[in-house]
Amino acid sequence: MTVALMWEARAAAGRGEELLAWARRKELVPPPLRRETFRAPQDRVLVITWWDAEFTAALPELPEPEGELVTRAVHRWRFESVGGGQGG
């Protein structure tokens, strides 16, 4: 089964590049099958990781950033693949 973990945070004003760099530096052990990092307006950063694991498996996740780098608690979601490729 493929599980995707999503991690999303909003940086403190003007600190979006710092949060992006912080998220990109954080290593996960073991590493995921795939990892993508995104940014959006309002200094938001999103990291999605894909794992070959059961939905409830204990998997490494990015932590909460330290200090005052973010404006709120990190949001986290877990999804499982339903297969079928595009359109399905």
Side-chain angles (χ1 to χ4, degrees):
M1 166 183 294
T2 300
V3 175
L5 301 183
M6 295 178 64
W7 177 100
E8 186 266 340
R10 184 172 177 188
R15 298 184 72 184
E17 289 300 320
E18 186 179 349
L19 177 61
L20 179 61
W22 179 91
R24 295 176 91 180
R25 278 194 313 270
K26 292 296 179 185
E27 291 187 36
L28 297 172
V29 178
L33 297 172
R34 180 176 164 195
R35 176 176 173 161
E36 288 193 53
T37 304
F38 303 85
R39 66 175 154 197
Q42 300 177 330
D43 291 329
R44 290 178 294 157
V45 174
L46 171 68
V47 178
I48 305 173
T49 57
W50 286 262
W51 306 86
D52 182 16
E54 293 299 316
F55 187 79
T56 57
L59 298 168
E61 296 189 54
L62 292 176
E64 293 276 336
E66 55 278 330
E68 297 179 4
L69 185 56
V70 295
T71 61
R72 57 165 167 73
V74 168
H75 292 177
R76 301 170 194 274
W77 300 274
R78 185 176 285 225
F79 296 89
E80 64 183 334
S81 174
V82 293
Q86 288 189 326

